[in-house]
Amino acid sequence: MMVDLVHTGLAGQAVAVLRELVLTGEIAAGERVNEVGVAQRLGISRGPLREAIRHLASEGLLVLTPNRGAHVPVTDNDGVRALFELRSALESAAARLAAERRTDADLAAMKEASAASREAFATGEFPYRLDLAFHRTLLDAARSPLVAEQVRLAQQRVILLRATKEVAFSHERASLDDHDALIEAITAHDGDRAGQVMAAHLARVRDQLLTTS
Amino acid sequence: MMVDLVHTGLAGQAVAVLRELVLTGEIAAGERVNEVGVAQRLGISRGPLREAIRHLASEGLLVLTPNRGAHVPVTDNDGVRALFELRSALESAAARLAAERRTDADLAAMKEASAASREAFATGEFPYRLDLAFHRTLLDAARSPLVAEQVRLAQQRVILLRATKEVAFSHERASLDDHDALIEAITAHDGDRAGQVMAAHLARVRDQLLTTS
DNA sequence: ACACTGCCAACTGTCGACAGTTAACAACTT
DNA sequence: AAGTTGTTAACTGTCGACAGTTGGCAGTGT
């Protein structure tokens, strides 16, 4: 993710730009990505752009169809459930590892992130970014680079989900309590409980994203 | 994985061929992949080959260095541990899901795979392939396509590990017992226990792959 | 012998052009 | 009118050539 910024070439820049276009919903769900058009728009040739498209496809931000190019995926409720099964698998494990390995510094960072969230919530704002920040502190505490990377990719797909569904994501108070429960379990080095709390937390977030049609 | 075979283009074929070259160790660990050389060897141009290289890099089978190309990763003990943290996260969750969702047909398939492994073990052979076959039946029972896909990718990286380390991988009897314990827990719809057994099983396999130097 | 400097070969990064495929539309048939 | 077939425009897939970068090596000086 931030690793991509080290990609100094045109392809790397194209990845960054395209990712932003997709995640902000500027390219709508289902919309196709025209290689020549986007390449001209970015002022590069098709080669690097193709590379960028394939890269984002490998992250699940685009889907490829042979001879038909790439388009932003449209996700139904089953897709949402499948995605959260993946995210829950990864992030519950991360919570368990964090409970086993956390230092006091990790704990302090998590508490700080939680406090910032509560403060923002008190003033009526609880942006998605703060929730992600908390989850990131937990990832740091887990000290498992591969798991962390996959968590980030899964979280990114959730962001895309929100961008396409245009769901106003005001976190509920319950999420704040979940976070604190997480901190408690991790403080107590209780890996099992941390994993369970994380799974319950993500189930709650998932249900927010399921369309009730 | 098998999906790649549907990639009818040259790039798709190149992915299949290159993957085999890497997984069989024909391209050794640490060895660099020369774009022009391999492209000529495959009778294609650099474009599709580049695409294939980037694809395998996204699967973790190659690592890219700016302006220096791709090479087969060399993994130390820490890397092995990190990989198995990921695999354990994914596959323990798969076991939990399998315990919740398995049908009788799933159970039959798992028992059949286990029986085949025991039979082969009795004759002195317990190829890696049979172990993978068992794990695949479990994945099918979990009915979680995204988790299944990530599990396959992680397993593939373990295969690469074995290819590069040239470790003779004779499964231990303990693995057979683990499999049966897994079947028991899944039969009883005991998700927690299935997850725990899977984690213990993978820890055993991991320790086999750690170099004791 | 060692360190530094300036080449140089090999490679990756990028580009523009061509070939192949697809889906949509128009024309024709029944 | 509905279905079928031919045509075509827009796109992706592929290629060969050029530009840029890197690491090594010969050469020079100390």
Side-chain angles (χ1 to χ4, degrees):
Chain A
M1 206 148 173
M2 59 241 19
V3 183
D4 293 326
L5 296 180
V6 96
H7 278 12
T8 173
L10 292 181
Q13 300 175 236
V15 166
V17 174
L18 243 191
R19 172 179 286 135
E20 214 56 24
L21 288 178
V22 171
L23 288 182
T24 60
E26 196 157 338
I27 302 179
E31 187 174 343
R32 278 179 54 184
V33 178
N34 184 298
E35 290 188 359
V36 294
V38 176
Q40 287 178 353
R41 180 174 170 183
L42 299 188
I44 62 179
S45 87
R46 281 179 58 212
L49 178 65
R50 261 178 86 87
E51 192 171 317
I53 289 175
R54 298 312 217 275
H55 187 89
L56 292 185
S58 79
E59 294 185 359
L61 261 43
L62 294 174
V63 303
L64 301 175
T65 313
N67 294 314
R68 300 241 52 212
H71 62 91
V72 180
V74 290
T75 309
D76 57 14
N77 274 351
D78 282 348
V80 173
R81 278 185 274 263
L83 176 55
F84 270 85
E85 284 169 10
L86 175 61
R87 187 182 173 188
S88 185
L90 292 164
E91 218 156 350
S92 294
R96 175 173 282 107
L97 289 172
E100 298 169 359
R101 301 175 176 177
R102 103 281 188 294
T103 64
D104 291 346
D106 294 324
L107 224 52
M110 293 180 62
K111 286 178 180 172
E112 186 177 358
S114 173
S117 293
R118 285 203 177 276
E119 188 174 352
F121 182 76
T123 67
E125 285 285 324
F126 187 5
Y128 191 55
R129 176 173 31 83
L130 286 179
D131 183 66
L132 280 182
F134 173 82
H135 282 250
R136 187 155 303 143
T137 61
L138 190 146
L139 272 191
D140 289 340
R143 271 163 250 279
S144 187
L146 292 188
V147 172
E149 177 64 16
Q150 293 301 319
V151 168
R152 272 188 281 265
L153 291 176
Q155 287 176 347
Q156 189 179 232
R157 289 171 78 166
V158 174
I159 295 176
L160 171 62
L161 219 63
R162 298 194 58 260
T164 61
K165 297 219 166 185
E166 297 195 3
V167 177
F169 189 54
S170 59
H171 248 304
E172 299 174 353
R173 159 173 280 274
S175 285
L176 290 173
D177 295 338
D178 285 342
H179 286 187
D180 286 341
L182 230 19
I183 292 179
E184 268 186 52
I186 291 174
T187 301
H189 290 294
D190 189 339
D192 285 348
R193 188 159 147 251
Q196 286 174 4
V197 172
M198 179 62 87
H201 173 55
L202 291 179
R204 216 190 307 278
V205 176
R206 177 200 64 202
D207 291 341
Q208 276 188 323
L209 289 171
L210 289 176
T211 63
T212 57
S213 64
Chain B
M1 210 147 170
M2 59 239 25
V3 184
D4 293 327
L5 297 180
V6 96
H7 278 13
T8 176
L10 292 182
Q13 299 174 236
V15 167
V17 174
L18 243 192
R19 171 179 286 135
E20 213 58 22
L21 288 178
V22 171
L23 288 182
T24 62
E26 194 157 339
I27 302 179
E31 187 173 343
R32 277 180 55 185
V33 179
N34 184 297
E35 290 188 1
V36 292
V38 176
Q40 287 178 354
R41 179 174 170 182
L42 300 187
I44 62 180
S45 88
R46 282 179 58 211
L49 178 66
R50 260 179 89 87
E51 191 171 316
I53 289 176
R54 298 314 216 277
H55 186 89
L56 291 185
S58 79
E59 295 185 359
L61 261 43
L62 293 174
V63 304
L64 302 175
T65 314
N67 294 314
R68 299 240 56 212
H71 62 90
V72 179
V74 291
T75 309
D76 56 15
N77 274 351
D78 282 347
V80 173
R81 278 185 274 263
L83 176 55
F84 270 85
E85 285 168 11
L86 175 61
R87 187 182 173 189
S88 185
L90 293 164
E91 217 156 350
S92 294
R96 176 174 280 104
L97 289 172
E100 297 170 359
R101 300 175 176 177
R102 100 295 189 285
T103 64
D104 290 346
D106 293 324
L107 266 178
M110 293 180 62
K111 286 178 180 172
E112 186 177 359
S114 174
S117 292
R118 285 203 177 276
E119 190 174 351
F121 183 76
T123 67
E125 285 285 324
F126 187 5
Y128 191 55
R129 176 173 32 84
L130 287 179
D131 183 66
L132 281 182
F134 173 82
H135 282 250
R136 188 155 303 143
T137 62
L138 190 147
L139 272 191
D140 290 340
R143 271 163 249 279
S144 187
L146 292 188
V147 172
E149 177 64 16
Q150 293 301 320
V151 167
R152 271 188 281 266
L153 291 176
Q155 286 176 348
Q156 188 179 232
R157 290 171 77 165
V158 174
I159 295 176
L160 171 62
L161 220 62
R162 298 196 58 259
T164 60
K165 297 218 168 185
E166 298 194 1
V167 178
F169 188 53
S170 60
H171 248 306
E172 297 175 352
R173 159 172 280 276
S175 285
L176 290 173
D177 296 337
D178 285 343
H179 286 187
D180 286 340
L182 231 20
I183 292 179
E184 268 186 53
I186 291 175
T187 300
H189 289 292
D190 189 340
D192 285 349
R193 189 159 148 253
Q196 286 175 4
V197 172
M198 178 63 87
H201 172 56
L202 292 179
R204 217 190 307 278
V205 176
R206 177 200 63 201
D207 290 343
Q208 276 188 323
L209 289 171
L210 290 175
T211 63
T212 58
S213 63

